[in-house]
Amino acid sequence: MPITKVLGKIFSKEKQKEEAKSEEKKGSEKKPKYAEQTCALCGGLGCDKKWAGQYWHKKCLRAMRKTAKGML
């Protein structure tokens, strides 16, 4: 079993794989707040925010706010 040295810490490859899997599980556990609503911009399901009376993904909301800010 080879051991690699990364940033002053010694990890085995199996331990790195386990950490990567646990990080993926953490990201997949997070569910959208409005799972049944469609996004006002892209039309996809699973929105996270409500703004201006409509439901948005976080990514779509950032893009739309920048666009709306430029219009003022």
Side-chain angles (χ1 to χ4, degrees):
M1 166 168 70
I3 297 175
T4 59
K5 188 171 183 175
V6 180
L7 299 176
K9 296 181 181 179
I10 298 176
F11 292 104
S12 66
K13 288 186 180 182
E14 289 81 19
K15 188 172 182 180
Q16 289 176 347
K17 288 179 185 178
E18 290 174 5
E19 290 176 357
K21 287 180 184 178
S22 66
E23 289 177 5
E24 289 176 3
K25 288 180 183 178
K26 288 178 185 177
S28 65
E29 290 176 3
K30 191 170 184 178
K31 295 180 182 177
K33 189 172 182 180
Y34 305 103
E36 66 281 348
Q37 299 295 330
T38 58
C39 180
L41 184 63
C42 69
L45 288 174
C47 297
D48 301 316
K49 297 281 185 174
K50 186 174 181 184
W51 179 64
Q54 297 177 337
Y55 299 95
W56 306 80
H57 294 118
K58 288 181 182 180
K59 178 180 162 184
C60 297
L61 181 61
R62 285 192 300 263
M64 193 49 119
R65 281 188 177 170
K66 288 179 184 178
T67 304
K69 190 176 183 180
M71 290 181 183
L72 293 177

